[in-house]
Amino acid sequence: MVKRILLDADILQYEIAFAAEAYWKHLFKEKELEPSTDPPPFDICIAMVDERISNIVSGAEGEGEPFLFFTGSQNYRNRIAVTQPYKDRDSDKPFHYKNIKAYLQSRYQWQQVEGLEADDLIGIAMTKNPDKYTCATRDKDLRQISGFHYGWELGNQPAFGPRHIDQFGWIELSSKRDKIVGGGDKFLYSQILTGDSVDTIPGIPKYGAVKAFKTLEACTTLAECEEAVLEAYRGFYGDGGRARMLETARLVYLTRVMDNDKVLLWNFLGEPEQWMDIKTGVISTL
């Protein structure tokens, strides 16, 4: 069944804007001219982004035009992160970053919600209609979500899929044994162990890919995954392990369900569902 592509446009903005700058510099070097201090003409960006999107849709075996998602401001995870500020890092944006976003929003259907990331919006759409869409991104985090996935090749990153990921999923070590490759809930639990240094999400210190893999390798149910991860957190943090695990899990967990302005948070199995109002930060049970 051919599916419509849900495209992570945040990644595309950075990729094309940086690629256009690199291409512009290469042209001057190739012609043995003095490097230009001007940004590349925007026409270069338009040509690159349209070609990239066409190739993504083809590679993902999709149909029609993709639906694009962008990240809004004031992410609700800022209120959850108490150990360390969420995504506390410098982020240099290339010259045409905003111009590419404006072009994409004028050319394609898109969605952006304040308080949510593009990943969250894709997670919500995929959860509502798991058989209707294919998620297209190079961000491994979205592979938490069950459904069809595709990642395009870029540099040293090989293409992924299109491939279906089931709810429980799987994990394996990369060829260099420095990363965990996987999908579904089991992959999510590996992220809870390691955290995410890029997004400044602390996991368990010195818990790398190999150690996380060994912790979860034999687990065959969600309950076993949760027990193994909680034991690891308590082993390092003692009585504070449960709270630290909950914080990390809610930071790495991509939103799957939203009701008006409330998103369903990650919670321990068997406990009442908790929801956060993304505008007020209030956590409650429905």
Side-chain angles (χ1 to χ4, degrees):
M1 177 182 177
V2 180
K3 305 175 187 300
R4 189 175 188 186
I5 305 304
L6 304 183
L7 180 56
D8 181 351
D10 287 349
I11 284 182
L12 206 60
Q13 281 181 259
Y14 280 103
E15 177 186 322
I16 298 302
F18 278 125
E21 290 183 357
Y23 174 73
W24 190 236
K25 291 178 182 178
H26 173 74
L27 281 182
F28 280 82
K29 184 177 181 180
E30 188 177 52
K31 295 178 181 179
E32 298 182 348
L33 299 173
E34 286 295 319
S36 173
T37 58
D38 295 327
F42 189 56
D43 287 350
I44 292 177
C45 297
I46 292 176
M48 282 184 166
V49 77
D50 284 342
E51 181 180 13
R52 174 64 78 189
I53 288 177
S54 176
N55 290 339
I56 288 171
V57 173
S58 176
E61 300 175 2
E63 67 176 5
E65 292 196 335
F67 196 102
L68 276 55
F69 295 86
F70 298 87
T71 291
S73 62
Q74 302 302 317
N75 191 280
Y76 75 87
R77 292 175 182 83
N78 295 335
R79 301 175 186 268
I80 293 173
V82 295
T83 302
Q84 185 174 348
Y86 179 62
K87 290 194 174 181
D88 184 24
R89 63 176 190 265
D90 294 330
S91 181
D92 292 332
K93 294 180 173 62
F95 182 85
H96 281 303
Y97 177 81
K98 291 183 179 179
N99 296 332
I100 290 172
K101 180 176 183 177
Y103 170 73
L104 290 172
Q105 291 182 343
S106 70
R107 172 71 176 77
Y108 299 93
Q109 288 184 297
W110 59 276
Q111 184 183 24
Q112 177 177 309
V113 175
E114 300 311 301
L116 298 179
E117 298 183 27
D119 293 358
D120 295 314
L121 297 172
I122 294 175
I124 292 168
M126 293 278 287
T127 301
K128 279 184 179 180
N129 298 284
D131 298 323
K132 188 176 180 181
Y133 302 117
T134 293
C135 165
T137 182
R138 292 192 297 106
D139 186 346
K140 67 182 189 316
D141 295 344
L142 268 160
R143 295 176 197 168
Q144 296 174 12
I145 308 295
S146 60
F148 288 87
H149 291 261
Y150 173 74
W152 58 96
E153 179 182 0
L154 185 70
N156 294 327
Q157 294 185 1
F160 177 88
R163 175 174 177 175
H164 182 266
I165 296 175
D166 62 33
Q167 184 73 48
F168 184 68
W170 90 104
I171 56 171
E172 61 189 46
L173 284 172
S174 65
S175 58
K176 293 183 179 179
R177 298 176 65 83
D178 60 342
K179 295 178 183 177
I180 288 184
V181 180
D185 288 326
K186 197 167 186 178
F187 180 60
L188 167 64
Y189 276 96
S190 76
Q191 293 180 297
I192 298 172
L193 283 169
T194 63
D196 189 331
S197 60
V198 174
D199 291 340
T200 62
I201 301 174
I204 303 175
K206 298 182 180 180
Y207 232 94
V210 173
K211 196 170 184 180
F213 178 77
K214 289 181 178 178
T215 299
L216 294 168
E217 182 180 13
C219 296
T220 58
T221 66
L222 280 181
E224 289 176 355
C225 289
E226 181 178 292
E227 182 179 358
V229 175
L230 182 56
E231 181 180 353
Y233 265 85
R234 283 176 169 160
F236 188 89
Y237 292 108
D239 292 341
R242 195 175 191 277
R244 289 295 294 265
M245 176 179 170
L246 183 64
E247 178 188 353
T248 299
R250 288 182 170 178
L251 290 173
V252 299
Y253 179 80
L254 296 185
T255 304
R256 291 151 172 77
V257 181
M258 187 172 184
D259 185 353
N260 294 317
D261 289 329
K262 295 182 179 180
V263 293
L264 181 61
L265 300 173
W266 184 93
N267 211 31
F268 289 99
L269 296 172
E271 297 192 355
E273 291 181 346
Q274 290 193 314
W275 299 71
M276 174 178 272
D277 189 307
I278 62 174
K279 291 185 176 180
T280 66
V282 173
I283 296 178
S284 61
T285 57
L286 289 183

